[in-house]
Amino acid sequence: MNLKKVSRYVVLGILFFLPVTFLLFLYPATHNYSPLDIVNESVLDLDNFSSNSEEKIQLKDHITVLGFFGNNPIDKTITASNLKELVYDKFKGFKRFQVVVLMPKGTEEAVQTLKQEISSYEDLRFWHFVFGEPSHIKRVYFSLKKEEDLSEDLATDHVFIIDKDLNQRGRIDDRTDNEMEKNKPVYGLNTYDCIEVAEIKNKMSEDMRILFTEYRQKRKGEFNSTTRRASDLKTENNE
């Protein structure tokens, strides 16, 4: 066998085994998948809210990005635009995904103006504005884990990720690798600031991708990891 034939067989062997080796590396990563943390449980659903849609808008059984735009929604144009371009447009094709924004009753006309600002005749079928009394908006907001209160006009630039079981998702430990190496105190990420483009584009988009992967693996029967809860970390710190 001459050198030319040997070289040919070596190249063919590499081309055959390289993809197999790559898949073997991916296999354990899939089955040791780390889901997105549960930072809060029992988020209130939207029983006291109405919408312009024929269907009843609920958080249960959906993967929801939940927002609060208040009495002057046009003031949240930048917030809404960043959310649409960096999150909604990316995930609107995923099963059971929706964006829901809680609005005070009486803002229906102002909401139409905001929708015209951000839609540019694009598909907003999975983006819902729902309307309720201020007291009901506050009740839902108080059921969430957050870093700040709603403004006086019931608005915030922060949005929340809610899973199909009414759990709020986020990061129990949002420290960087460098902060972990220096044993900096643990801090989490419970909400996502839509004014901070880097936070929405990087952290929130990544967290949404992780959550969709979790549900996709559950449908296929491949998901075998327990989702970490904030209470778990508290227990660990007290040991």
Side-chain angles (χ1 to χ4, degrees):
M1 185 179 292
N2 60 38
L3 185 60
K4 189 173 183 179
K5 286 186 176 180
V6 171
S7 299
R8 183 185 305 166
Y9 288 131
V10 169
V11 171
L12 289 174
I14 291 174
L15 292 175
F16 175 78
F17 286 107
L18 188 60
V20 175
T21 304
F22 179 70
L23 289 174
L24 288 174
F25 276 112
L26 285 181
Y27 183 82
T30 298
H31 289 267
N32 292 319
Y33 178 76
S34 297
L36 188 61
D37 298 328
I38 292 176
V39 298
N40 181 41
E41 299 176 346
S42 301
V43 175
L44 289 180
D45 213 332
L46 308 178
D47 298 328
N48 296 306
F49 291 82
S50 61
S51 73
N52 295 327
S53 172
E54 294 181 359
E55 62 177 316
K56 175 67 175 176
I57 306 302
Q58 295 281 302
L59 304 182
K60 179 70 173 175
D61 298 325
H62 291 81
I63 297 174
T64 306
V65 175
L66 183 64
F68 301 78
F69 286 180
N71 289 303
N72 300 295
I74 199 65
D75 293 343
K76 296 300 178 188
T77 301
I78 295 176
T79 300
S81 296
N82 288 345
L83 182 60
K84 178 185 175 299
E85 293 173 9
L86 301 176
V87 177
Y88 178 81
D89 287 348
K90 183 181 293 186
F91 296 105
K92 65 183 179 182
F94 284 75
K95 190 174 182 179
R96 291 290 181 176
F97 168 72
Q98 62 180 1
V99 171
V100 177
V101 182
L102 273 57
M103 303 297 303
K105 287 184 176 180
T107 60
E108 288 84 353
E109 186 174 336
V111 161
Q112 290 303 315
T113 301
L114 176 63
K115 288 174 69 174
Q116 292 172 8
E117 287 287 329
I118 66 173
S119 69
S120 300
Y121 303 102
E122 295 178 22
D123 181 12
L124 288 180
R125 284 180 298 159
F126 311 106
W127 184 308
H128 309 291
F129 290 92
V130 297
F131 304 90
E133 299 295 339
S135 60
H136 294 146
I137 293 174
K138 290 177 181 178
R139 283 190 65 211
V140 174
Y141 193 76
F142 290 153
S143 74
L144 299 162
K145 189 170 185 179
K146 63 277 183 189
E147 284 73 38
E148 63 177 27
D149 291 332
L150 284 174
S151 65
E152 291 185 2
D153 73 340
L154 305 174
T156 177
D157 292 315
H158 292 251
V159 295
F160 305 78
I161 296 176
I162 313 298
D163 71 16
K164 294 183 179 183
D165 298 309
L166 300 179
N167 296 313
Q168 181 181 344
R169 297 297 191 101
R171 303 184 183 189
I172 293 174
D173 188 348
D174 192 36
R175 293 175 298 173
T176 63
D177 292 340
N178 185 47
E179 289 172 330
M180 290 181 183
E181 290 174 2
K182 294 180 179 179
N183 290 319
K184 296 290 186 180
V186 174
Y187 61 87
L189 181 66
N190 305 316
T191 69
Y192 303 84
D193 189 346
C194 289
I195 297 299
E196 298 294 333
V197 172
E199 183 167 302
I200 299 299
K201 185 176 182 180
N202 300 323
K203 292 184 177 182
M204 187 176 185
S205 291
E206 174 66 9
D207 289 354
M208 290 293 296
R209 184 191 64 79
I210 290 171
L211 185 57
F212 279 112
T213 300
E214 174 186 328
Y215 278 105
R216 183 169 64 250
Q217 291 185 355
K218 285 179 178 178
R219 288 197 303 271
K220 294 181 178 180
E222 299 174 352
F223 185 79
N224 60 1
S225 178
T226 301
T227 309
R228 186 168 62 165
R229 290 167 165 78
S231 56
D232 298 335
L233 184 64
K234 185 176 181 180
T235 301
E236 291 172 7
N237 290 338
N238 290 334
E239 290 179 348

